[in-house]
Amino acid sequence: MWLLPLFPRVAAFATHTFYKTTVTGGTIPTEGPLVLVGNHPNSLLDPLFLVSVARRPVRFLAKAPLFSNPWTSWAVNAVGAIPVYRPKDNPALVRQNASMFRAAHEALLSGDAVGIFPEGISHDGPALVPVRTGAARIALGARSRLGREFPIVPVGLFLRNKEEFRSEAHVLVGDAVAWRDIAGAEDDPGAVKELTARIDESLRGVTLNLDDWEDASLITAAEEIYVAEHGLEPGNRSQVERWRLAAGILSDARRAGDAEAVRLAHEVRRHEDALNLLGLRPRDLNAETDLRSAAGWSARGVALPVAIVVAITGALLFWVPYRLTATVVGSSGADENFRASAKLVAGAALFLAWIGILAALVWRVGGWKAGAVALVLLPALAVATLGLLERSSEAWRDVRRFFLLRSSARTLDGLRSRQRDLARRMKRLRDEAAPASR
């Protein structure tokens, strides 16, 4: 378990590098026994998200085949993962799960955090699948030996384009599950059933459960339109919570056969398509286009040439491992649930190897001191290049948006009018929604 103490820092770096990650919601206890439960949309990256937001070492339950795979065995052993023997992997080994429960109990009794994905599988479905009883049995068994309850904290993950490098990742930390009133141990079917139901409910409260994956882009587009015209909802809900509200309203409207809501959804799609053709977002329609605003983006662009030079230098230096990562993952045959994990693992290995090669070349040409400096500076340049490329892209987008808004007044006036109408109708729909859906 040599990597376990460093696990939170490694996980935070990995998740914030691969994705544009935002974390909202409650707090996670930094010490004492703790069970973290999360949804499981993205294979090996999901534990990284949970330990990153926990900011403490977490021992995860992991399927047994990972411990025999040469590509993953070193990692799961290094972070102290606990093997789970699933019937689908090898029915003959299921009886060994007694050792899994013992290891999880011992970890909790030692004051450690244990991470569990109670769905039991990593999947690409649009909604949470019913959770299994393992998390409840572990918690109840540990409580019997410890003599008291401890926090069970749900963590929801929502990845808009999980395979895409630098796409959005949202993490929502929920409130701890209330289970003090549940009497019984891990062998009590009633207690296990009740705690499992509460864990399931807590996870559904921090995850975006959709009727269909196509609803994801519709809901995010509707939310962007609503916020652009009305601002944030009172109570400062997180972005994922607002998406959940919209998803609930849409699902309820469909079940009720609300023709107006269905028509509104169709018009939101059309509006989104029109904005995409122009390279605009809903909030751009309300952006200022006066000379003072122009001076603002001009001032921000003063340092742009320097940033571009640094970014291009870094991009050229690291083009080889970047392309090799895509080639390796593309030819690996990894399925959709594992592709992002494969990109992270392959990319990390190839970039580290490439940095070593470049540092060795510098050492050969300029001596060991120059090689040592290169070994330190090259990783920093790689990270800086990533940030500078994104900032440069945003700066050019600001410039393009400014001139587009100044030169296409008639077209944009029509879009603004339609967007205000859409936002007004969405507000009415929200106001009419049942309080329970809010």
Side-chain angles (χ1 to χ4, degrees), residues 7-39:
F7 199 11
R9 292 186 178 182
V10 173
F13 178 79
T15 53
H16 283 78
T17 298
F18 196 94
Y19 295 106
K20 298 176 183 177
T21 305
T22 59
V23 181
T24 53
T27 58
I28 296 175
T30 56
E31 58 183 23
L34 166 71
V35 170
L36 289 176
V37 291
N39 60 316

Side-chain angles (χ1 to χ4, degrees), residues 18 27 52 114 144 147 180 184 188 204 228 259 267 273 279-280 320 327 333 335 377 380 409:
F18 196 94
T27 58
S52 174
V114 173
S144 297
R180 179 172 295 180
D188 183 333
R204 291 184 187 279
E267 292 179 27
D273 291 342
L280 296 175
V320 171
T327 301
D335 61 30
L377 293 182

